Amino acid sequence: MITLKSKRIRLIDCLRGFSLLGILLANMLIFQYGMYGKEFLNLFHVPAAELTAHNIVVLLVEGSFMPIFTFVFGFGMIMMKEGLNAKSRKAGWPLLRRFALLMVLGILHSTFLWDGDILLYYGLVGILLLIFMNRKPKTLLVWCCILLTLTGLMGLVPENKNDKTAQATNQRMEAYVQKTVTLYAEGTYGEIKHDRNTANPMGDRPSLVLVALMLAPILHMPLFLLGMYAAKKQWFVDSELKRGMYRKGMLIFLPLGLLLKSYKLLFPEMIGAGTGVMLGGSLLSIGYIMAFALIYSKYAPSRLLERFEAVGKLSLTNYLMQTVICTTIFYGYGLGWFGKIGVIAGCGLALLIYMMQMFVSSWYITRFKSGPIERVMRMWTYFSLSGKAKRKKAPAAAAEM
């Protein structure tokens, strides 16, 4: 029998696993066209049907599944804090060690495997989130709403297509993408690694880097904070009794997010199109979270949900394995399919890889308690070979005089 507590945790594992499916579908565009190439599909002679498929991926997936993962990340921070507090331990240093290791893994991942890494960024944001860890739920929600509002307002700033600096940057990026078409499809591991670590298609514009560093937290912090809020408000405890909340959230945020993202696709030149993509992605992700929670509350336990859960329990290992598999398939030191199979086939390949991970993960967790990367993470976080936090011993009573 599933207890309420275990079911709450299993729901979060399932949600984490579900988010990895969308992340893989979105990342497939980067794996087969490159970080910058996915914005220049015309250079790959993509037919109309493929462009339609690309727009569907942009509408339903891109920018709306990574926020789910950030939500779960924030949720997990609070759960970890509460677990440590229950053992009379403070959470600050363990979390700081965890985020430091995430940053190290991110640097290794981006240097030696792929330039689409998110682990370094998550480690950095995690450190920033420590400021909010002990804040009241209302404070977390207020900041979430403030940052979401700022995100929407930033999208109102119109793009100046006549700006000469922007035009020069665009031309530089296009020339770089043309070079990668051959390099990434035929190059050796050393050649691709060198390009990944040295190429600078944006040019020497430190102001762009500064602006990006300033804007990134505003764009992504809302879902981190919402996850922390959800954990403190126990959104997923007694999930059967909260179907009304899940249903209401789904009916509000799914259509609102889709409407905003559609506006960007249908009217890219209109004022507010930026708001559609910047705000719509986050709102759609909230709709997905509510819809998934509603489905889980009705149908768990089921074999499909258990497989999502298995993927979620090994999320870090599975995320890194997606990189290993896909770079081997698309880059020149593997099959060399870079820019060749198209968006539709890429989506099919993503589903196939994810299905394989579902079955392998389900098999793995019946034999091991945690994935290899997760085990290292827990050992480092808790400074324990067992990967578990030890209960702090109460100080001995003072001896009577």
Side-chain angles (χ1 to χ4, degrees):
M1 180 176 179
I2 300 174
T3 64
L4 292 176
K5 182 177 179 181
S6 66
K7 190 166 185 177
R8 170 177 56 93
I9 296 173
R10 294 182 70 177
L11 170 55
I12 293 303
D13 283 330
C14 285
L15 191 57
R16 187 185 294 111
F18 173 65
S19 71
L20 280 179
L21 170 59
I23 289 170
L24 178 58
L25 285 166
N27 285 346
M28 191 59 68
L29 294 174
I30 304 176
F31 284 126
Q32 63 173 323
Y33 296 114
M35 182 66 70
Y36 302 98
K38 69 185 183 71
E39 307 298 334
F40 294 91
L41 292 185
N42 59 298
L43 299 179
F44 295 88
H45 308 292
V46 175
E50 297 288 339
L51 289 175
T52 300
H54 173 262
N55 287 337
I56 292 173
V57 172
V58 171
L59 174 64
L60 299 179
V61 178
E62 194 174 57
S64 295
F65 276 81
M66 188 63 72
I68 299 177
F69 202 82
T70 63
F71 174 91
V72 175
F73 186 93
F75 191 101
M77 274 188 65
I78 299 302
M79 296 304 298
M80 182 177 169
K81 172 185 177 294
E82 291 180 354
L84 286 166
N85 291 164
K87 296 182 178 181
S88 302
R89 290 189 174 275
K90 295 182 179 180
W93 282 110
L95 283 169
L96 194 59
R97 288 195 294 268
R98 186 178 186 85
F99 299 146
L101 183 54
L102 270 180
M103 291 168 63
V104 171
L105 289 174
I107 292 171
L108 295 174
H109 184 216
S110 59
T111 301
F112 295 101
L113 289 175
W114 186 52
D115 54 357
D117 172 76
I118 60 167
L119 301 180
L120 174 59
Y121 177 71
Y122 270 57
L124 290 169
V125 173
I127 294 174
L128 182 60
L129 287 173
L130 292 175
I131 300 172
F132 295 93
M133 190 169 59
N134 294 316
R135 302 284 79 81
K136 295 179 180 179
K138 183 179 180 180
T139 302
L140 297 174
L141 185 61
V142 168
W143 273 105
C144 174
C145 293
I146 289 173
L147 294 176
L148 277 176
T149 302
L150 288 176
T151 299
L153 291 175
M154 286 190 298
L156 295 175
V157 179
E159 181 182 358
N160 184 7
K161 293 186 176 295
N162 296 320
D163 181 57
K164 294 183 178 180
T165 303
Q167 291 176 348
T169 299
N170 192 65
Q171 292 173 356
R172 191 182 299 110
M173 289 172 60
E174 186 171 346
Y176 171 74
V177 171
Q178 288 177 325
K179 185 187 75 169
T180 63
V181 173
T182 301
L183 173 63
Y184 278 70
E186 302 175 6
T188 64
Y189 172 80
E191 290 171 338
I192 294 174
K193 175 176 175 290
H194 179 267
D195 177 80
R196 181 169 59 245
N197 295 325
T198 59
N200 186 17
M202 298 292 290
D204 295 323
R205 296 181 64 187
S207 59
L208 277 181
V209 177
L210 180 61
V211 170
L213 290 174
M214 292 175 62
L215 294 183
I218 298 176
L219 295 175
H220 301 111
M221 282 287 283
L223 269 292
F224 282 110
L225 296 173
L226 186 63
M228 297 171 75
Y229 173 83
K232 293 196 174 192
K233 297 297 287 186
Q234 299 185 338
W235 274 11
F236 306 116
V237 176
D238 296 332
S239 58
E240 298 90 345
L241 303 178
K242 295 177 180 175
R243 288 174 185 167
M245 182 188 79
Y246 303 150
R247 186 179 294 107
K248 185 182 296 184
M250 176 186 72
L251 293 176
I252 293 173
F253 290 105
L254 277 182
L256 184 58
L258 288 171
L259 182 64
L260 286 171
K261 293 186 76 175
S262 298
Y263 180 70
K264 166 66 175 179
L265 287 173
L266 295 174
F267 309 104
E269 306 297 329
M270 295 290 289
I271 295 176
T275 297
V277 67
M278 297 172 74
L279 183 59
S282 295
L283 298 183
L284 182 58
S285 69
I286 298 173
Y288 284 150
I289 292 168
M290 294 292 103
F292 192 90
L294 179 62
I295 292 171
Y296 187 92
S297 69
K298 287 185 175 182
Y299 299 109
S302 73
R303 293 297 299 274
L304 179 61
L305 290 172
E306 286 173 356
R307 295 192 189 283
F308 276 124
E309 178 187 353
V311 174
K313 285 183 175 179
L314 310 179
S315 58
L316 191 52
T317 298
N318 279 320
Y319 170 72
L320 293 173
M321 283 306 302
Q322 288 175 359
T323 295
V324 173
I325 293 169
C326 291
T327 53
T328 302
I329 290 173
F330 289 107
Y331 290 177
Y333 53 81
L335 298 180
W337 287 3
F338 187 83
K340 296 178 181 178
I341 70 171
V343 178
I344 297 174
C347 290
L349 178 61
L351 293 174
L352 184 63
I353 292 171
Y354 188 83
M355 287 175 62
M356 179 188 70
Q357 289 190 312
M358 292 179 88
F359 283 97
V360 172
S361 298
S362 297
W363 171 85
Y364 186 93
I365 63 171
T366 62
R367 290 158 177 80
F368 304 95
K369 293 182 178 180
S370 61
I373 306 299
E374 287 78 9
R375 180 58 185 270
V376 172
M377 180 71 71
R378 291 179 66 86
M379 291 170 61
W380 170 253
T381 298
Y382 299 120
F383 273 173
S384 168
L385 291 176
S386 66
K388 296 180 180 180
K390 297 179 180 178
R391 181 177 294 275
K392 189 174 182 180
K393 296 180 180 180
E400 293 184 3
M401 294 297 294

